[in-house]
Each structure stands twice: as C-alpha cells, then as structure tokens.
Amino acid sequence: MIGTRQPATSPTLAPWPDGTMRAIALVGPHTVAEISLPIPSPAAGTVLIRPRHVGLCGTDLELFHGDSGYLRSGRAHYPHVFGHEWWGEVVAVAPDVRDLAPGDPVVGQTMIPCGGCGSCLRGRRQQCRRMTEVGLYGQQGATADFIRLPAHAVHRLPPRLAEPWAILVEPAVTVVEALHRAGARATDRVAVLGTGTIGLLAVQLALRVTASVTALGVQPSGLAAAARYGAVPHLVDDVPKADFSLVIEASGAAEAFPHALDLTERGGRVALVGVAYEQVAVTPGELALRGLSVLGIQHGIDHYPDVIGLFEHGALDGPGLLAAAVPLDRAVDAFEMLAADRGGRPKVVLELPRRREGTA
C-alpha cells in the first residue's frame, strides 16, 4: 500500500526479486520496443523501486528522434531505457538503509554523484567527475519494472503526493537552482523564455520571490497558462530589449540564448535552464562591456526536499500542468503528443502497469 512504512530503526528487508524484468526502450530513432533486462541485484546502500509514472520532456523527445546530444557524444546509445522524471514505490531496501522501507512512495534524482571525487568532497556534487544521470547515461531509466538507486538519491513523498504529477518534482528542482544561483530578489524584473513545463514552473516559482514576471512564448495557450499563474504574457518578440534584470531561458531553443542576452539590462543575469546543442552567434565583448552574468543550470540535487514541501503545501500547481497520463504500451503516442499544443498543460506522463504476476 502507498504510504505504509516500517519504523526506520527496523526496516523490512523484503526479498530482492531475481530473474528478468520488462523494460520499454528506444531501440532506434522513432522506434520503441519491449526488451528484457536482469532485475538489478542487491548492493549496499541501495533501494529497489517499482516506477509508477514517468514524465516525458524535450530531452526524451530528442532521444526519440535520434538527434540528442547524449547520442552524438556517445554517452547514450540504443537500446536506451529512458525516463528521468518519475516517482515510484519502494520494493526492497539493502540491510544498511534505515530511512526508507517497502511501500514508501518516492522520487529519485536524475543526477547521481559518486560522493568520493574531488568535486563531491568539496561540496560541489553537481560537478561530480563521475556523475551518472538516470535515463540519460550511466544509469538505467525508469521505463522498466524496477530501478535500483543509491538511497541518498531517493526522496520520500508524502502519501497524498503519490500522483502522476509527482514527476514534476524533478524539473522543479532545476528551476529552484536557477533562482538560487541567480540570487533572485523582490526587486528583480524577471522574464521567462518558454511556456512549457520548465517555463510555467519558473513563472510560479519566480512569482514567489519577485514582484514582476513576464512570460515570453509563441503558443497562445502557453501564454494564457502563464497569465493564470500571474505572469504578464507577451509573444516572444513583443517586448523591449534590455528591460529585465533576470532572464530565465527555459525553452531549450538555440536562438533563445542570444535573445535572452538582448532582453537583459546592464549588470543583469541570464540563467540557462533549457539545453540547446546548436551553435549560435554571440559577441563576447558585448557580454563583458554590459557586465552580464550567464549561469549554466545543470540540475538542483540539493532542493528535492524543499520542492516536495512546496507541492505538499500547494505553493506549486501540479495537476494544472498535466496534459495526460498515457499507458506505457502507447509510448510512441505519448512522444507524438509532446509536439502538439496541449492547451497550456505541457506535461505528458507515461503510466506504468501495476504489479505483474510472478513479480515482487
């Protein structure tokens, strides 16, 4: 049952399953297939989890199309078990794990730092030299019967957040990191480029700490959603240049980066949350002479507990961002939905089947 736990001092050591499990993988561009994998074996400090819902984003869509930077760099390859935005239920814990137990609803980090390299030991875990990323490289994704993670990368959800939109915790931590790194404050005039999932989360979070947020996009439905959250909506080319002290680039479009620079006032900051691999023309001297700060935002691995609390207390809207929960066996349909206008509800989620006969 969701939310049932054993006392932390005496965790239930449920038997770890053996044999194989089903996984849904990208086996080539625009091709999804079921594959069989060994169920992850026990290891000290780890947790075995049954994923329940997996969110899809632009990064997954690039993997689906075959033009992802992860594929081009060789860090990812087909067959690829994707899924880095997810929540699930703990199935089993290693004997040395004391703060999680079978039945716990949890979310997991995308970035898994090693904890032992020089960067980790200096407190810079997001710059870990041996980093792996769930569903991207070095770590199996969540579109499978089971996923095994180190316990330090798993965060318990309040039972009432065990809903499809709990997958939004993962993108939201990145936005919190952007605002933290940029030192967002009440006097900032903020522009958010993009009205997808990240953009609408950025609008909600920026409005908690600043008085003025302008949302820039190309889809009327996305702009209308941003307006519902309290932002001033504008078509992307319909605002004055050099008018904002903080610009959050959340679209992931390559051309959005020079546009973000144009929008930023002297001495302002640009937080790059969207990830684009195409080259664009930027004049370095202009950045220097205008005193601009450009911040690359990787993730927000230190913010999971805080973001879970924001969702728990209603400070962030999860249900309002969810377009649909699509059965896992319709994964191709779900990918195709990502390119469509979803009426200001940008997030498409895959729903994994519940326990199958013969599994734990």
Side-chain angles (χ1 to χ4, degrees), residues 19-332:
T20 62
M21 66 177 180
R22 182 183 75 153
I24 299 298
L26 297 168
V27 296
H30 306 104
T31 308
V32 178
E34 180 176 323
I35 64 173
S36 181
L37 294 174
I39 293 175
S41 58
T46 62
V47 181
L48 190 69
I49 301 160
R50 185 187 301 278
R52 288 285 308 278
H53 290 95
V54 176
L56 298 180
C57 74
T59 300
D60 299 301
L61 192 60
E62 291 171 352
L63 289 164
F64 177 71
H65 287 317
D67 55 9
S68 167
Y70 291 102
L71 292 168
R72 294 201 298 265
S73 69
R75 287 184 293 175
H77 54 82
Y78 298 126
H80 181 79
V81 181
F82 59 97
H84 61 279
E85 303 174 352
W86 59 273
W87 82 271
E89 298 170 357
V90 174
V91 172
V93 298
D96 58 340
V97 175
R98 301 295 179 182
D99 55 355
L100 293 166
D104 280 347
V106 294
V107 294
Q109 296 173 192
T110 295
M111 288 187 168
I112 312 296
C114 73
C117 70
S119 294
C120 287
L121 293 175
R122 291 195 301 271
R124 300 176 59 195
R125 297 188 300 150
Q126 287 191 170
Q127 287 77 47
C128 173
R129 298 173 185 175
R130 295 190 287 269
M131 184 78 77
T132 60
E133 295 193 53
V134 174
L136 298 173
Y137 64 92
Q139 168 67 55
Q140 169 211 310
T143 52
D145 286 334
F146 302 101
I147 185 171
R148 187 191 71 187
L149 289 180
H152 66 77
V154 176
H155 303 269
R156 188 184 303 110
L157 287 171
R160 73 183 190 89
L161 295 191
E163 298 286 346
W165 47 265
I167 58 91
L168 291 168
V169 170
E170 192 276 346
V173 301
T174 305
V175 178
V176 171
E177 174 72 2
L179 294 170
H180 173 74
R181 289 270 312 280
R185 49 191 177 266
T187 55
D188 274 319
R189 298 180 309 285
V190 179
V192 176
L193 278 168
T195 57
T197 300
I198 290 285
L200 293 177
L201 287 169
V203 163
Q204 294 181 61
L205 286 163
L207 282 167
R208 290 180 56 81
V209 294
T210 67
S212 171
V213 177
T214 297
L216 308 177
V218 295
Q219 289 187 326
S221 60
L223 291 171
R228 287 197 300 272
Y229 290 125
V232 178
H234 279 286
L235 291 173
V236 70
D237 294 322
D238 189 28
V239 291
K241 293 184 177 181
D243 200 41
F244 299 95
S245 58
L246 171 59
V247 176
I248 300 174
E249 201 304 281
S251 72
E255 63 272 16
F257 177 47
H259 188 51
L261 298 176
D262 288 342
L263 292 170
T264 309
E265 69 180 11
R266 289 179 176 272
R269 299 97 74 207
V270 175
L272 290 178
V273 179
V275 179
Y277 285 93
E278 297 84 357
Q279 293 185 352
V280 293
V282 174
T283 304
E286 184 177 350
L287 273 68
L289 294 177
R290 290 174 58 202
L292 301 185
S293 298
V294 177
L295 306 168
I297 309 300
Q298 296 168 288
H299 193 40
I301 60 177
D302 295 325
H303 303 300
Y304 277 83
D306 289 340
V307 167
I308 290 170
L310 289 171
F311 278 109
E312 182 180 16
H313 295 105
L316 283 172
D317 174 30
L321 297 180
L322 183 63
V326 179
L328 183 61
D329 60 6
R330 291 179 49 210
V332 171

